Amino acid sequence: MRRYYGCSGQEPETRSAQASFRCDGFVRDGVIAAPPGDPVSLKTLPPFLRALLVTDGTVTKILEAYFWEPVTVDTLEQRFETAEESVPAIEVMPGDRCLIRDARLRGTDSGRSFAEAFSLIRTELIPSGFRQRLIDREIGIGVLIRDSGLESYREVLDVGMEVSSEGRRAVCRTYRIIIERRPVILITECFPVALYAGEPAVA
């Protein structure tokens, strides 16, 4: 949950370009923030990766259509945690109890890891049946929302780049899911750049 505490610390020019990109899908000469602070040009990213950053559809299904294999969601870690600070994006206040989930989107044929997703969920604001299936780790959040028939939409809040402890670059996006007009889920998805650029990647 700590990754969502506080502000991003990005420069105003970078924040502006990112905001335009996530809203419009195209920003000529746009850049995204990347550690250790040097911006990365959006036009240098693989085209499909740029599309993933701005899509408001179910990522699992998009990955299946692109890589042409079933994609499964592996829950790496799941726990309840009490917020120490506020998370305004989904109206979390200090003391609120939220569900934390770290998951991997994996191709069932190739074994490749297409993305990792970190989720912060206000479970008290979702219907009991949906909540239990979520806690039971039945399927991915996006597919679960679709199958449940809940009125929802996604709003992309931020895009950027991270570097893993192994030194691998990943492009990330953070978005929130609005269910029945209330923001209840905050998700950060990270996509390994090497895989989408066609380079050999570790499964």
Side-chain angles (χ1 to χ4, degrees):
M1 192 183 298
R2 292 183 180 277
R3 74 179 299 144
Y4 295 128
Y5 294 158
C7 60
S8 64
Q10 299 165 0
E11 293 299 321
E13 295 81 1
T14 302
R15 286 201 301 270
S16 176
Q18 290 181 352
S20 298
F21 172 64
R22 62 180 171 78
C23 293
D24 301 332
F26 173 76
V27 180
R28 194 178 303 278
D29 300 324
V31 297
I32 58 175
D38 297 327
V40 172
S41 172
L42 285 165
K43 67 181 179 183
T44 65
L45 296 178
F48 179 62
L49 194 48
R50 288 198 301 265
L52 282 175
L53 292 177
V54 297
T55 183
D56 57 4
T58 303
V59 172
T60 302
K61 296 304 176 186
I62 297 172
L63 291 172
E64 288 180 338
Y66 182 78
F67 289 105
W68 206 241
E69 66 173 299
V71 173
T72 189
V73 179
D74 298 325
T75 301
L76 306 177
E77 183 180 4
Q78 181 169 289
R79 67 186 184 279
F80 278 96
E81 190 173 308
T82 300
E84 298 177 4
E85 300 181 24
S86 62
V87 182
I90 56 171
E91 301 173 0
V92 169
M93 300 299 294
D96 287 349
R97 189 168 178 262
C98 300
L99 180 65
I100 306 296
R101 173 187 283 184
D102 188 6
R104 176 178 56 221
L105 279 61
R106 174 179 54 84
T108 58
D109 295 340
S110 65
R112 292 178 297 180
S113 178
F114 296 132
E116 187 167 343
F118 181 86
S119 306
L120 173 60
I121 307 159
R122 300 182 62 192
T123 53
E124 82 280 5
L125 296 183
I126 55 182
S128 58
F130 179 99
R131 183 189 312 126
Q132 194 57 52
R133 295 184 68 189
L134 194 61
I135 293 173
D136 290 344
R137 315 180 189 190
E138 284 191 16
I139 51 179
I141 292 174
V143 176
L144 181 55
I145 291 175
R146 185 197 63 195
D147 291 353
S148 299
L150 292 172
E151 178 187 355
S152 67
Y153 69 93
R154 305 178 186 210
E155 181 183 8
V156 180
L157 302 175
D158 189 33
V159 295
M161 183 171 286
E162 297 182 4
V163 177
S164 70
S165 57
E166 295 82 16
R168 298 188 181 94
R169 296 191 308 157
V171 175
C172 306
R173 69 166 186 161
T174 297
Y175 62 95
R176 62 182 177 180
I177 299 179
I178 314 292
I179 298 177
E180 297 180 345
R181 302 184 180 182
R182 300 191 68 175
V184 298
I185 303 175
L186 189 61
I187 300 177
T188 296
E189 294 169 337
C190 294
F191 306 94
V193 175
L195 175 64
Y196 293 89
E199 303 170 18
V202 177

